[in-house]
Amino acid sequence: MIEKKIIGNKELISILDLHLFDLDAKVDTGADSNALHCDDIFVDDDNIVHFKLLDEVHEAYNGKHMQMHLHEMKKIRSSNGKLQNRPSIEVTVKFFGEEYKTIISLTNRADMKYPMLIGKKFLANKFLVDVSQEYLTKQI
């Protein structure tokens, strides 16, 4: 049986490919996929996704322009129930001291408190969520 790590409902995650470290993330077992808060999102003719990071907590990241190869365009149902066609990127993240390959969709989460959302596809078979806890990553 696989040993699963217990995590809280809010945690820190680093997206190594984007050089983003210790982003505040909301763990959401109701969401299928991961999402990153950004703006000015567009895909060019070479399948490169261009986007601007939005994270007021981290001044170094807020407004930073980024680009990565498009993994795929995905139809995702947002928290308000609307179907959106979002670009996604494949990245390596560092979470609880381990590195993982994962897919992150890019979307404007202006109405959300946390710049990153961690969904159940990433969590599956690796983590258990204790909703009464927060930031257990700081204890390792």
Side-chain angles (χ1 to χ4, degrees), residues 8 16 28 30 32 38 41 59 69-70 84 87 103 112 135-136:
L16 303 180
D28 187 347
D32 281 337
C38 49
I41 307 163
E59 274 188 35
H69 182 74
L70 174 70
Q84 298 177 332
I103 307 299
M112 305 299 177
Y135 298 109
L136 296 177

Side-chain angles (χ1 to χ4, degrees), residues 15-139:
I15 306 172
L16 303 180
D17 302 81
L18 299 177
H19 306 286
L20 301 175
F21 304 100
D22 294 333
L23 290 175
D24 290 298
K26 173 80 171 123
V27 176
D28 187 347
T29 59
D32 281 337
S33 58
N34 305 317
L36 180 63
H37 177 40
C38 49
D39 201 6
D40 299 335
I41 307 163
F42 71 93
V43 180
D44 68 20
D45 293 337
D46 295 322
N47 280 332
I48 303 296
V49 184
H50 301 260
F51 53 99
K52 180 174 72 175
L53 295 175
L54 298 171
D55 183 359
E56 294 175 6
V57 174
H58 295 88
E59 274 188 35
Y61 306 153
N62 196 33
K64 187 174 182 181
H65 291 270
M66 308 294 291
Q67 61 185 32
M68 280 204 73
H69 182 74
L70 174 70
H71 175 69
E72 69 177 331
M73 293 298 290
K74 297 173 70 173
K75 289 198 182 299
I76 296 175
R77 191 165 306 278
S78 68
S79 60
N80 64 12
K82 292 183 180 176
L83 207 59
Q84 298 177 332
N85 201 26
R86 294 185 193 167
S88 63
I89 55 177
E90 183 176 24
V91 295
T92 300
V93 297
K94 189 166 187 179
F95 191 64
F96 271 80
E98 300 286 331
E99 291 184 11
Y100 303 94
K101 279 282 194 196
T102 191
I103 307 299
I104 298 176
S105 70
L106 304 174
T107 186
N108 188 315
R109 294 176 40 81
D111 54 339
M112 305 299 177
K113 187 175 179 181
Y114 298 91
M116 178 82 185
L117 183 83
I118 300 174
K120 62 186 171 190
K121 286 181 183 174
F122 176 76
L123 301 169
N125 301 313
K126 297 184 287 278
F127 303 100
L128 293 174
V129 182
D130 181 343
V131 296
S132 69
Q133 299 292 317
E134 293 182 353
Y135 298 109
L136 296 177
T137 49
K138 292 181 180 180
Q139 298 175 10

